[in-house]
Amino acid sequence: MLSQQSRTSTWLTALLLVAFVVWAGAYSVLTPAWEAPDEAGHFGYAAYLVQRRALPVQRLREISEFHQPPLYYVITALAMMPADLHDSTGALNPNPGFIWAGQGGNDANIGFHVSAETFPFQGLALALHLARAVSVLMGMLTIALTIAIGWEIFPEQRRIGLLGGVLVAFNPQFLFISGAINNDNLLTAAATGVWWQLLRAMKRPEQWRRWMWVGFGVAVGLLAKTSMFVIGLVAGLTLLACAAQRRSVKVLVRGALAMGGSAALVAGWWFVRNQLLYGDPLGWNIFRVNFKSVLRRGPIRLSKVQEFFSVQFRSFWGVFGWMNVNAPDWFYTAAQVLLGVSLLGLALWLARRQYKNLSGFPRSALVLLGLAIAAQEGYMLWAITRFNESWYQGRYLFPIIGPLMILVSLGLTSWLPKRWSPVLAIGLALALASVAVLMQSQVIQPAYAIAPSPKWVLWLAPNKTQIIFGDVIELAGYKIKEKKNDSQVVLTLYWRARQKPDFDYSAFVHLVDGTGRLVAQDDHGPGMQLHYQPTAWWPGDIVVDDHMITLPGQLAPGAYHFRIGVYNWITGERMPILPENQPGGDFVTLDQALHR
């Protein structure tokens, strides 16, 4: 029978995981396509697997993600299979003004975003969102494993594990990466799983099966990203420490064979393949040639190390897009305060020698968490001596996000009596969830303000039409709304580009009486109000445009109709309606009338 605490914590865990899937799912859907680090390259790898049914090979002077191990891409490729990859809907339209495009631009958008990439998804857009959904599930697994770590160490204080899970789940940067195509998601889940399995192995180091599962987790991580070797090194040191503590060579030998054997059996083939193809097990030689631009030239200066810590901290919590969309300063200050309070809490916990209340295992487990954090940060410090600022990203600490947040949780809960811990956890969960929503709605979305409307907007058009002007622009719907004072009426037109217009055409709206006499009109270019005129449109773009019609002071009773047309404002030439034999020829009269 489960205790009341266990049942409650299980339900709270389920609720947290569902909440994370909703939040991360929203990030994945609302963040425009390709606006996450290297997303186009990661997508290209998975798409290659779907289309070629073979592993890609690195080629000299070809920039791609083909140097990465394949497991994440195999999983995402399976998810992408229902999509038609031959349908280019949603493909990346490169933006030369992108800040990292090297052409002097300062735009946050790597590509031009169009209606075609929006919901309901199809083609490449559908494949992208299916792959992003896989990442969301990997993020959910990381949270569940983080909670499991906390429960393994503090089985009687489940609030510590739950709060650790909350801190991971509502970290805006973790949500952003979990909602993107990125192999860091599998690496993070695998690494968190290894920390959990290591804790279990530490309890019963003589059981070789537990070390086998550690090795399996390391192998999964190595097949996601080769930086997993750091976690493998910590796992090896942990085994060595357990054998030394037990003074047992048998534990060391059996554990090493189980862990090393399972890792080699699952992941060894990848390194053999690299050796055969590239002459080294990591494929490093060809990587150095292709990515020469990211290698550091000369020794690193102290100022660069200071910059590294600053950028790493900020981007661990929230620097979005391609490291070019910052959160407000108050957010980073709040994160500093949160960590500061936690560190003081840990110091207080140590000063009071509360760790003496713990048995040997929890103390050893906390040492392991600290070692994990130190090893990963040490690896990053080594890495920045060889690579430039592109390696300053805080997401490279996500393999230790579980251990880190468990320690932060311990520090925060140490301030309060046990009975107040649930209040702290619930309060922090609500606050962090609210901040996560704020980051998406007030930081990320405004950075990628998209002028064309999503495809589902047409569902809201009360009057559907299919009036085609010159086989270039289609009037797909309209809505009539009268102002309260009856002196104005707003006609909302839903335009759709059938192909890319070659001129910034204007549209006229004529209000005519029963005899065809013009009584009011409004002319302007479709999209002019959005600063998104026709020559900027892409095929399939939907542009919602309002025409404000001011009515004459005295209108005779009767029905008044709207006539719509599109014309070249320089020559005055109107675009014909297709098919050309329709009544009116170069304008359309809307079915819905204005009655007076």
Side-chain angles (χ1 to χ4, degrees):
M1 290 288 291
L2 289 173
S3 66
Q4 180 61 41
Q5 181 190 23
S6 297
R7 285 195 297 269
T8 301
S9 56
T10 300
W11 278 106
L12 288 175
T13 297
L15 180 62
L16 175 61
L17 295 179
V18 170
F20 170 79
V21 169
V22 172
W23 262 253
Y27 270 64
S28 74
V29 171
L30 296 175
T31 301
W34 321 116
E35 296 297 350
D38 306 315
E39 191 166 48
H42 293 306
F43 179 89
Y45 194 144
Y48 184 98
L49 295 178
V50 174
Q51 295 174 322
R52 305 290 184 89
R53 301 293 199 275
L55 292 176
V57 177
Q58 293 186 78
R59 304 294 182 188
L60 278 173
R61 296 174 181 82
E62 287 185 6
I63 304 299
S64 70
E65 294 293 327
F66 291 170
H67 60 280
Q68 301 277 13
L71 185 55
Y72 172 81
Y73 306 102
V74 170
I75 297 171
T76 53
L78 292 172
M80 289 164 50
M81 290 183 70
D84 181 5
L85 297 182
H86 297 290
D87 180 353
S88 63
T89 302
L92 173 63
N93 297 311
N95 175 14
F98 179 50
I99 189 171
W100 307 127
Q103 300 187 42
N106 197 39
D107 197 341
N109 295 263
I110 190 174
F112 296 108
H113 296 295
V114 298
S115 297
E117 70 185 46
T118 62
F119 183 82
F121 307 118
Q122 65 184 80
L124 297 185
L126 175 60
L128 177 135
H129 284 281
L130 290 172
R132 283 182 172 183
V134 170
S135 291
V136 170
L137 296 178
M138 291 176 182
M140 183 185 71
L141 178 59
T142 296
I143 296 161
L145 291 168
T146 298
I147 295 171
I149 290 171
W151 290 357
E152 198 71 41
I153 302 172
F154 303 104
E156 301 302 321
Q157 303 178 64
R158 294 202 162 200
R159 64 190 184 279
I160 294 176
L162 279 169
L163 181 56
V166 166
L167 292 167
V168 175
F170 296 123
N171 176 324
Q173 189 71 28
F174 184 78
L175 283 163
F176 181 78
I177 296 299
S178 295
I181 306 176
N182 197 300
N183 60 341
D184 281 332
N185 291 301
L186 181 58
L187 171 67
T188 301
T192 311
V194 167
W195 303 131
W196 176 51
Q197 285 298 326
L198 270 177
L199 293 173
R200 290 169 54 82
M202 286 169 62
K203 284 183 174 180
R204 301 290 298 274
E206 69 281 359
Q207 292 187 354
W208 63 270
R209 288 184 182 83
R210 298 197 175 193
W211 296 107
M212 181 190 71
W213 284 113
V214 171
F216 176 77
V218 170
V220 170
L222 286 171
L223 288 177
K225 207 167 185 178
T226 51
S227 58
M228 184 71 182
F229 80 88
V230 179
I231 286 84
L233 178 61
V234 175
L237 292 175
T238 303
L239 171 60
L240 186 61
C242 288
Q245 186 182 39
R246 297 293 179 100
R247 298 181 181 180
S248 172
V249 175
K250 183 178 179 180
V251 166
L252 179 61
V253 173
R254 293 184 69 183
L257 288 174
M259 184 166 60
S262 61
L265 185 65
V266 174
W269 66 271
W270 171 251
F271 302 99
V272 172
R273 175 183 182 270
N274 286 340
Q275 181 68 43
L276 295 175
L277 282 175
Y278 311 120
D280 69 278
L282 298 179
W284 173 248
N285 294 329
I286 195 168
F287 173 85
R288 290 186 63 181
V289 174
N290 290 346
F291 289 88
K292 185 178 180 180
S293 61
V294 306
L295 300 179
R296 188 172 296 281
R297 299 169 185 173
I300 189 169
R301 300 190 303 272
L302 178 60
S303 62
K304 288 294 183 181
V305 176
Q306 293 171 333
E307 179 187 352
F308 160 72
F309 283 117
S310 175
V311 173
Q312 184 189 61
F313 175 81
R314 291 164 67 91
S315 57
F316 178 85
W317 292 98
V319 177
F320 310 107
W322 288 68
M323 291 288 289
N324 56 0
V325 179
N326 289 286
D329 288 340
W330 64 260
F331 171 72
Y332 303 116
T333 301
Q336 289 175 331
V337 170
L338 181 71
L339 290 185
V341 170
S342 174
L343 286 173
L344 287 174
L346 285 173
L348 181 66
W349 186 77
L350 291 171
R352 291 175 176 173
R353 299 190 177 185
Q354 289 177 293
Y355 57 88
K356 289 194 171 183
N357 298 327
L358 302 176
S359 63
F361 167 71
R363 278 185 280 180
S364 299
L366 292 176
V367 171
L368 171 63
L369 300 192
L371 176 61
I373 294 166
Q376 188 67 21
E377 185 69 319
Y379 164 69
M380 287 306 304
L381 286 169
W382 170 85
I384 66 169
T385 65
R386 286 156 174 78
F387 300 98
N388 64 15
E389 291 79 1
S390 63
W391 283 64
Y392 290 8
Q393 300 177 55
R395 64 187 170 95
Y396 295 148
L397 288 181
F398 283 177
I400 48 91
I401 194 172
L404 180 59
M405 291 302 110
I406 292 298
L407 290 178
V408 171
S409 175
L410 176 61
L412 292 174
T413 55
S414 67
W415 283 100
L416 298 173
K418 182 178 178 180
R419 65 181 181 275
W420 287 102
S421 294
V423 176
L424 172 66
I426 293 172
L428 267 178
L430 294 175
L432 292 173
S434 299
V435 169
V437 171
L438 189 69
M439 290 299 112
Q440 174 58 246
S441 62
Q442 301 301 314
V443 176
I444 298 174
Q445 284 187 282
Y448 302 108
I450 301 175
S453 297
K455 290 184 288 189
W456 55 263
V457 162
L458 285 181
W459 300 346
L460 306 180
N463 303 283
K464 308 294 193 297
T465 60
Q466 195 175 3
I467 311 301
I468 302 169
F469 294 90
D471 203 25
V472 176
I473 300 175
E474 175 188 351
L475 180 63
Y478 67 91
K479 177 174 64 178
I480 299 172
K481 182 179 179 181
E482 295 185 53
K483 293 290 187 178
K484 290 182 179 179
N485 57 14
D486 289 338
S487 64
Q488 289 181 320
V489 62
V490 178
L491 176 63
T492 301
L493 301 179
Y494 295 79
W495 298 104
R496 176 162 50 197
R498 293 177 62 85
Q499 56 182 284
K500 194 168 181 59
D502 60 354
F503 184 79
D504 287 329
Y505 296 98
S506 283
F508 66 78
V509 173
H510 293 170
L511 184 66
V512 298
D513 62 16
T515 66
R517 182 178 64 88
L518 180 68
V519 297
Q521 76 177 82
D522 181 69
D523 292 33
H524 66 249
M528 186 177 69
Q529 299 158 340
L530 302 171
H531 306 289
Y532 193 67
Q533 293 174 285
T535 52
W537 297 3
W538 293 82
D541 270 358
I542 296 166
V543 178
V544 181
D545 201 45
D546 289 337
H547 285 262
M548 183 78 71
I549 309 294
T550 301
L551 303 177
Q554 296 293 330
L555 275 181
Y560 294 83
H561 290 84
F562 293 95
R563 289 179 177 172
I564 314 296
V566 178
Y567 65 98
N568 183 315
W569 56 270
I570 294 179
T571 65
E573 182 182 0
R574 294 182 179 181
M575 297 181 73
I577 293 177
L578 302 181
E580 294 179 354
N581 60 359
Q582 276 200 2
D586 56 11
F587 68 85
V588 63
T589 302
L590 302 182
D591 292 336
Q592 186 177 346
L594 178 68
H595 294 277
R596 281 291 182 267

